[in-house]
Amino acid sequence: MIKRYAKVLVIIFAAAFSLLLPRSSSSGELGTDFMLDLWKYRTGEADTGLLTGRPSRKMPDAPPVVFASVSGSIDCRQDLALHSNDVIDVVLLDFAARDAAAIITSQKITSPGQIPIPFKLTYDPARINPAHHYTVQARIMRNGEPAFINSTPCFVITHGYSNAARVIVEQTKNTLPSPAGKEPY
């Protein structure tokens, strides 16, 4: 009978003692959450990430990447009939330094149709520095050589310029027709 009372007394003492213990752990001590994770890992109840360092709970998705765009058209002051094999390169450039320009984004148009040619350049706004100047450059490539380019910059995005551009291209010097009967040098 005394053994029975002793067992009941030990159970009551253990329950009271466990209620007095704090639920969270202090530094340097294994807490309840850790012990539960360890138990779940050992029994295979859940992938707790205890050994891998990756939490088993799904982390919230990263915020969606927002894109902006520069759109417009490529035009020519003179009549221009495009060939079927002409390729148009449209590039958004960052002119941070006068001697070099960084390419932000580009578009290659392989079946351009006829002038004016619409384009849309999509870029990440995080790459845009408000202090820099940005321009759109267009080239019409004929047989791998630039036949038409824009000679004047077409500023966009910063310093009060819009995201719409009308790029005027002109014939390059190496594709100008030579005077009658004379070969170009």
Side-chain angles (χ1 to χ4, degrees):
M1 182 114 156
I2 292 180
K3 286 185 178 182
R4 197 180 276 173
Y5 286 122
K7 286 182 180 178
V8 170
L9 188 59
V10 169
I11 292 173
I12 291 172
F13 182 75
F17 185 71
S18 69
L19 290 175
L20 295 175
L21 288 176
R23 290 275 182 206
S24 62
S25 62
S26 60
S27 63
E29 161 182 340
L30 296 179
T32 309
D33 292 340
F34 175 79
M35 296 305 288
L36 287 173
D37 281 350
L38 181 60
W39 176 257
K40 287 179 182 178
Y41 173 75
R42 292 195 61 179
T43 59
E45 288 182 37
D47 174 26
T48 61
L50 183 66
L51 297 179
T52 61
R54 290 183 293 246
S56 58
R57 284 181 249 130
K58 185 177 183 327
M59 299 304 285
D61 293 335
V65 177
V66 178
F67 288 103
S69 64
V70 172
S71 58
S73 63
I74 300 167
D75 208 346
C76 190
R77 288 198 173 102
Q78 65 222 35
D79 288 336
L80 173 62
L82 294 176
H83 299 168
S84 60
N85 63 343
D86 287 350
V87 176
I88 299 177
D89 291 327
V90 187
V91 182
L92 177 62
L93 298 171
D94 176 0
F95 276 98
R98 293 235 180 244
D99 58 343
I103 296 174
I104 301 297
T105 187
S106 64
Q107 178 184 13
K108 188 175 290 260
I109 304 169
T110 55
S111 301
Q114 293 302 319
I115 296 288
I117 301 152
F119 68 88
K120 184 175 184 177
L121 297 169
T122 304
Y123 63 92
D124 180 7
R127 295 189 62 194
I128 301 301
N129 183 338
H132 292 184
H133 284 70
Y134 296 90
T135 64
V136 175
Q137 177 185 4
R139 296 185 310 174
I140 299 176
M141 306 293 282
R142 184 167 289 161
N143 300 323
E145 296 290 324
F148 293 85
I149 60 170
N150 62 314
S151 58
T152 57
C154 183
F155 291 104
V156 291
I157 304 172
T158 57
H159 300 285
Y161 294 102
S162 73
N163 285 13
R166 181 172 178 241
V167 183
I168 306 294
V169 294
E170 299 171 355
Q171 194 168 13
T172 60
K173 291 181 178 162
N174 62 350
T175 60
L176 288 174
S178 58
K182 295 188 178 179
E183 291 294 319
Y185 35 141

